[in-house]
Amino acid sequence: MTENEAVVKPPPSDIGILGWLRKNLFNTWYNSLLTIVTIFFLWKSIPPFIKWAFFDAAWFSPPKVCRQIDGACWSVITKNIRFILFGFYPYEQQWRPLIAMLILFALLYYSKERSHWNKRLFYYWLVGLAVMGILMKGGIFGLPSVESTKWGGLPLTLLLSVFGLTAAYPLGVILALGRRSKMPAIKTLCVLYIELIRGVPLISLLFMGSIIFPLFLPEGITISKILRAQVAIILFTAAYIAEVVRGGLQAIPKGQYEAAASLGLNYYLTMRLIILPQALRIVIPPTVSVLISAFKDTSLVVIIALYDVLKTTQTVLSDPQWMGFSREAYIFLAILYFLGCFSMSQFSRKLEKELDTGR
Amino acid sequence: MTDKLGEPIVEIIDLHKWFGNFHVLKGINLKVYRQERIVICGPSGSGKSTLIRCINRLEEHQKGKIIVDGIELTSNIKNIEKIRSEVGMVFQHFNLFPHLTVLENLTLGPIWVRKMPKKEAEEIAMHFLEKVHIADQAHKYPGQLSGGQQQRVAIARSLCMSPKIMLFDEPTSALDPEMIKEVLDVMIELAQEGMTMIVVTHEMGFAKKVAHRVLFMDGGTIVEGNTPEEFFSNPKHERTKLFLSQILH
Ligand SMILES: Nc1ncnc2c1ncn2[C@@H]1O[C@H](COP(=O)(O)OP(=O)(O)OP(=O)(O)O)[C@@H](O)[C@H]1O
Ligand SMILES: [Mg+2]
């Protein structure tokens, strides 16, 4: 390297905050105009919002006080938080769903690290699920029994989404493999399933599950409404996952199958060790999109009168005392859902980065 | 000299194959004996790849018989998997598993097909990586290696299954000239150790050096086959002469 090449600094206009501003926000006259207009709108909307949401807000006042102030009335949340979060779960027993949720969060958080993915994690989940089940349902260890018809609020939303998504994912993968199967019967079955399910809206599946399906059950047998909604969500999401995964399978070159075959690997091992790890990695972004929208779609269970967190919030708002504070309530709900969706997408990006082998 | 070597390890009798209506292989007869090394050449589209891919049933044949190590290839999936685990294959485009490290690429077969303990499989893998002069790359991913290095890993991957015969389908034709030699050198070493090999290649230097027989294929048949000396100095058929004049300038 010669001395002249050694230190060539970028031109001064490109460095520092001013340089960045000039380069990105004021480089042409229309860009400058856009920047100014944007700043104007932000100025008009952000400070009033902050004033409304924080400075003028009432946090714990009764509704009467709330109606006299200009700011947000967060007391609609704080005063009703237990109903919003737990619905009709018996009031003195609400520590149980709370602990169940905390266990779930802890498990999810622990599962985030790929280095934890081993047999032990599987057992943690088994134990965790058992404990959560016992806490929610009761009936043993001196815990009063709580029928699932009383479950509601955030635990219900989490139950429907966490189990819905974790069950839908493997089912979707199996359907995708089935759709590419060489056996005509299996293939036809999978195609039919996927196309039929994708052809109807989730709402109609939920209705079918809650109204039509029980008509076919023999006398005396009932299946809880939550379970039926859960199954509908799983079946629905799986069909979408299947199509996403199929896209990933198609992206794997023929040579990978041939290399696996020439080592003597059978179909199952080829899929498990060679094809799926690559295919599923490729489709992480669209898979997460499907999962995120499925997560939000769990709120559709309101139409079959399940009290998920959306429904409990609406119920609070229909109380004459709290009528008219829907803005605050929905902002709160939006934040809840956003946290869920955002952590999913964060996780997927982390996973993508870790699995990148510089192909 | 070949009949001194006893039973053939690969025996192909009147093999025919069609792709749809297209008759690709038109009655191939071939015996390959243990420790024998065969080079197959011929113009593009003559069916060379198809022929060797039939030997481990990456392609299915419609007529004739293929017997590998005493087992006839039929649609019996267990037999096919058995034969595949005994027959190594090296592809033109390497076909390494990009999501696994070099070491994992090598241990996959021994662990899952041979049911070998992981530690033992890793020792064997390191042994063969040294053999192909690439042990220092064991923990990299294939995507971080050059083409020549990748192909040597692919050879080592096959060797880890201790194959009875190795098939090579144009192993150097996707490589830059300076990498061809490093791969050929590994193949020559392998030949010198007595590996049974069927190699589709146009590297005539390689053929002269290690082959017992050179076969010339055209239009789905084996037009002629002979020792390298005879084949190159005294080709019998017009088509062979024409082909040789084209590739040897
Ligand atoms: N999967 C397939 N489906 C249909 N035709 C095929 C298929 N694979 C190969 N063929 C055809 O069969 C013929 C022989 O192909 P093959 O790949 O065996 O030739 P090759 O001798 O290996 O040629 P090259 O030197 O180009 O690799 C070619 O005409 C090719 O187009
Ligand atoms: Mg070929």
Side-chain angles (χ1 to χ4, degrees):
Chain A
M1 198 188 282
T2 64
E3 278 157 47
N4 305 353
E5 278 177 79
V7 258
V8 180
K9 279 202 181 133
S13 64
D14 278 357
I15 49 176
I17 297 174
L18 270 180
W20 185 88
L21 280 178
R22 190 167 320 135
K23 201 170 150 199
N24 291 290
L25 299 180
F26 296 99
N27 52 349
T28 56
W29 67 266
Y30 51 87
N31 233 345
S32 309
L33 188 67
L34 268 179
T35 305
I36 290 165
V37 170
T38 310
I39 289 175
F40 176 75
F41 276 109
L42 288 179
W43 177 247
K44 278 285 170 192
S45 55
I46 300 278
F49 178 80
I50 291 176
K51 188 163 174 293
W52 175 79
F54 298 102
F55 296 120
D56 295 349
W59 294 87
F60 299 98
S61 334
K64 280 208 192 85
V65 181
C66 261
R67 294 198 187 280
Q68 276 138 34
I69 58 167
D70 292 334
C73 173
W74 297 116
S75 25
V76 66
I77 307 295
T78 51
K79 295 271 176 197
N80 298 298
I81 190 69
R82 289 183 63 168
F83 183 78
I84 290 177
L85 288 188
F86 303 115
F88 293 110
Y89 207 92
Y91 195 81
E92 321 72 52
Q93 299 290 327
Q94 284 175 0
W95 58 272
R96 284 159 51 181
L98 180 66
I99 292 183
M101 280 200 298
L102 293 180
I103 294 176
L104 181 69
F105 290 140
L107 279 172
L108 286 174
Y109 190 78
Y110 182 79
S111 310
K112 208 173 68 154
E113 297 302 327
R114 251 173 20 106
S115 55
H116 294 165
W117 293 4
N118 49 31
K119 267 235 173 69
R120 200 145 38 125
L121 181 66
F122 178 72
Y123 294 126
Y124 286 166
W125 271 99
L126 275 190
V127 173
L129 288 176
V131 174
M132 283 187 265
I134 291 169
L135 279 172
M136 289 300 288
K137 188 120 183 108
I140 46 172
F141 302 130
L143 295 172
S145 169
V146 178
E147 281 310 309
S148 66
T149 44
K150 296 227 171 89
W151 298 4
L154 195 54
L156 180 62
T157 298
L158 290 172
L159 178 83
L160 290 174
S161 44
V162 172
F163 292 102
L165 305 194
T166 40
Y169 189 68
L171 182 59
V173 171
I174 290 171
L175 282 167
L177 291 175
R179 188 163 186 170
R180 286 170 59 88
S181 163
K182 288 202 187 79
M183 285 173 267
I186 292 182
K187 183 177 172 147
T188 315
L189 222 70
C190 292
V191 172
L192 271 180
Y193 174 89
I194 293 169
E195 295 307 333
L196 278 180
I197 296 277
R198 287 205 309 170
V200 295
L202 177 58
I203 296 195
S204 63
L205 273 188
L206 288 169
F207 266 129
M208 275 195 260
S210 81
I211 298 164
I212 303 175
F213 177 67
L215 299 179
F216 296 106
L217 283 181
E219 199 84 22
I221 291 184
T222 53
I223 294 178
S224 101
K225 207 174 189 174
I226 293 181
L227 187 60
R228 280 177 271 145
Q230 180 86 79
V231 170
I233 289 170
I234 293 172
L235 296 182
F236 187 78
T237 310
Y240 284 85
I241 300 271
E243 283 303 276
V244 167
V245 171
R246 189 164 69 98
L249 290 173
Q250 275 166 352
I252 305 299
K254 214 171 117 223
Q256 292 290 306
Y257 291 90
E258 293 181 348
S262 67
L263 286 175
L265 292 173
N266 58 28
Y267 174 83
Y268 169 75
L269 286 177
T270 304
M271 287 301 159
R272 177 179 148 198
L273 301 171
I274 310 297
I275 305 302
L276 284 177
Q278 296 183 60
L280 297 182
R281 191 194 86 76
I282 302 175
V283 295
I284 288 175
T287 307
V288 172
S289 291
V290 170
L291 294 181
I292 284 178
S293 68
F295 171 58
K296 291 179 293 184
D297 281 351
T298 57
S299 57
L300 288 174
V301 297
V302 296
I303 61 138
I304 56 169
L306 282 178
Y307 276 73
D308 81 325
V309 70
L310 176 63
K311 183 68 179 173
T312 52
T313 310
Q314 285 174 339
T315 310
V316 167
L317 290 175
S318 59
D319 177 348
Q321 276 197 74
W322 295 107
M323 244 175 222
F325 298 116
S326 48
R327 252 186 309 185
E328 292 84 343
Y330 285 124
I331 286 176
F332 172 73
L333 266 189
I335 292 172
L336 272 191
Y337 274 100
F338 177 78
L339 286 178
C341 298
F342 188 67
S343 16
M344 278 194 255
S345 84
Q346 281 300 91
F347 173 68
S348 85
R349 252 180 293 172
K350 178 172 116 72
L351 202 58
E352 251 180 277
K353 229 187 255 152
E354 284 175 5
L355 295 180
D356 185 14
T357 60
R359 143 141 134 163
Chain B
M1 57 149 259
T2 41
D3 37 20
K4 265 185 264 157
L5 296 163
E7 280 287 287
I9 183 148
V10 176
E11 188 169 6
I12 298 174
I13 302 162
D14 192 31
L15 175 72
H16 289 263
K17 157 129 194 102
W18 286 264
F19 281 121
N21 280 329
F22 178 53
H23 201 173
V24 196
L25 298 179
K26 304 172 182 164
I28 303 278
N29 287 291
L30 177 65
K31 280 185 189 169
V32 182
Y33 293 88
R34 279 175 215 280
Q35 306 215 332
E36 197 182 16
R37 293 180 293 277
I38 290 185
V39 164
I40 303 176
C41 60
S44 178
S46 55
K48 307 176 298 287
S49 300
T50 310
L51 173 61
I52 69 165
R53 286 160 60 85
C54 280
I55 295 175
N56 66 353
R57 213 178 172 90
L58 290 182
E59 300 291 353
E60 204 175 310
H61 61 278
Q62 283 92 19
K63 194 167 160 242
K65 259 188 180 183
I66 302 176
I67 300 161
V68 181
D69 199 23
I71 305 174
E72 183 177 350
L73 273 171
T74 57
S75 52
N76 180 333
I77 188 78
K78 282 284 161 248
N79 277 353
I80 294 173
E81 278 161 15
K82 174 94 175 63
I83 287 175
R84 283 174 177 168
S85 70
E86 309 286 344
V87 176
M89 177 117 185
V90 176
F91 301 87
Q92 185 175 2
H93 295 287
F94 333 133
N95 296 354
L96 293 176
F97 306 127
H99 62 301
L100 301 176
T101 63
V102 166
L103 191 64
E104 288 164 338
N105 265 276
L106 267 63
T107 54
L108 189 98
I111 291 176
W112 292 96
V113 179
R114 296 265 187 262
K115 315 272 183 241
M116 197 182 277
K118 188 170 172 212
K119 206 154 170 290
E120 197 185 331
E122 281 178 354
E123 277 163 21
I124 292 178
M126 288 313 294
H127 168 75
F128 284 112
L129 280 179
E130 261 153 41
K131 197 154 187 169
V132 300
H133 320 294
I134 206 167
D136 51 330
Q137 315 281 346
H139 297 285
K140 287 198 179 162
Y141 286 96
Q144 299 162 324
L145 304 183
S146 74
Q149 290 173 322
Q150 290 193 43
Q151 192 61 298
R152 285 184 282 148
V153 172
I155 293 174
R157 178 173 68 180
S158 288
L159 290 176
C160 283
M161 294 293 286
S162 19
K164 298 192 169 139
I165 176 170
M166 294 265 291
L167 310 175
F168 294 83
D169 189 2
E170 307 206 28
T172 56
S173 58
L175 297 177
D176 291 337
E178 70 269 28
M179 294 173 194
I180 291 179
K181 187 172 177 302
E182 64 187 49
V183 171
L184 287 180
D185 284 346
V186 166
M187 290 170 62
I188 290 169
E189 282 167 38
L190 207 59
Q192 282 159 355
E193 285 166 21
M195 175 62 77
T196 315
M197 298 160 83
I198 303 179
V199 185
V200 174
T201 186
H202 292 153
E203 294 293 332
M204 291 307 149
F206 174 80
K208 282 177 190 158
K209 207 163 196 165
V210 305
H212 294 120
R213 270 192 288 165
V214 181
L215 307 182
F216 173 68
M217 278 187 77
D218 194 13
T221 56
I222 298 178
V223 176
E224 72 172 281
N226 221 327
T227 60
E229 300 79 39
E230 274 295 299
F231 182 85
F232 289 112
S233 56
N234 191 12
K236 300 210 168 45
H237 287 260
E238 278 311 309
R239 278 188 286 175
T240 321
K241 285 179 192 160
L242 184 66
F243 177 74
L244 284 177
S245 71
Q246 276 164 357
I247 62 164
L248 300 174
H249 317 294

